[in-house]
Amino acid sequence: MNASASTMPKHVAIIMDGNGRWAKNRSLPRAAGHRAGFHTTRDIVEACGRRKISALTLFAFSSENWARPEQEVGLLMDLFLRGLKSEVSSLRDNNVRVGFIGERSAFSEKLQNEMLHAESVTADNDGLRLTIAVNYGGRWDIVNATKKIATQVKEGVLEPEDISIDNFSAAVTLSDLPEPDLFIRTGGEKRISNYLLWHLAYTELYFTDVLYPDFNDDELEQALHFYAGRQRRFGKTGEQVMGKHA
Ligand code: IPE
Ligand code: IPE
Ligand code: MG
């Protein structure tokens, strides 16, 4: 059964976790898990586009993932670079607009250029907004926003008492998108792992034991079905949300 359009999330944010365990279960090197995860990502981007979901934000590499063995980090960078190169024209042709969030300066010039290229050739697309979080951390995002706000205060364009949730939200990443409606984490862990800390305040959280390489259209449908069954109250009572009380 398809989740109906009115109960579809506009913005889905995913922590793509479990590649390493997927490979281990098959006695394969972790690299094989990351490659399989890459193929899953292609399918999920396509599936979200087909369902007319407006925005998809994927956690590909956290600011903490640098702590992994050098070989694995190198492999992930290589996969990222090659993946971008191979996918950019099909993303462009499928009306996907690509963006990245995270501290880019840590990446090679080649990779930074490829990211800029993907953003510029898809800039005019008005279909799915695909954002890839790389060298991203939720705390980094909040600190970065604080620096922007502090600079505005220092320059005299903003008074400290005028700092608000609205202008802070404008300073964090993804400020031009609605906040994620649905968060999905594959791989069985029930934690946020420093993902979109500011943005997830009222997001519906869905955790599945399915390892990311096994996450597919059916699994996505299950997550959407979960979402369709939630009552989002945003602090109100259930009756208020149902329109029974003012
Ligand atoms: C997620 O899979 C991919 C990245 C963090 C880059 P993992 O590599 O974390 O897989 P597990 O958690 O070890 O199974
Ligand atoms: C979260 O997965 C980051 C990404 C999927 C990119 P991790 O595998 O790094 O998370 P922890 O370490 O289990 O919390
Ligand atoms: Mg993991």
Side-chain angles (χ1 to χ4, degrees), residues 15-17 59-62 65 68 185 189 191 193:
I15 296 187
M16 312 182 286
D17 195 23
F59 206 3
F61 191 85
S62 79
N65 288 147
R68 294 191 176 198
R185 182 175 187 144
E189 310 297 350
R191 53 180 175 250
S193 296

Side-chain angles (χ1 to χ4, degrees), residues 75-165:
L75 180 124
L76 285 167
M77 293 300 142
D78 188 52
L79 193 62
F80 185 34
L81 183 64
R82 282 189 297 129
L84 268 182
K85 276 191 174 156
S86 70
E87 296 309 307
V88 70
S89 50
S90 111
L91 291 166
R92 182 198 56 210
D93 297 345
N94 284 295
N95 201 20
V96 176
R97 184 171 152 198
V98 182
F100 301 90
I101 53 170
E103 180 54 61
R104 297 182 193 205
S105 59
F107 295 122
S108 69
E109 209 179 306
K110 237 183 182 169
L111 194 44
Q112 289 187 49
N113 287 339
E114 208 57 49
M115 288 157 81
L116 284 174
H117 177 68
E119 285 174 332
S120 72
V121 300
T122 62
D124 293 332
N125 285 348
D126 59 6
L128 178 70
R129 283 281 301 270
L130 171 65
T131 306
I132 302 171
V134 276
N135 192 18
Y136 177 86
R139 289 176 175 171
W140 166 85
D141 201 345
I142 292 170
V143 167
N144 222 30
T146 307
K147 283 183 191 165
K148 287 189 208 166
I149 299 277
T151 305
Q152 289 171 22
V153 170
K154 191 176 165 193
E155 287 170 351
V157 292
L158 184 69
E159 294 300 325
E161 54 274 24
D162 292 332
I163 297 172
S164 64
I165 291 172

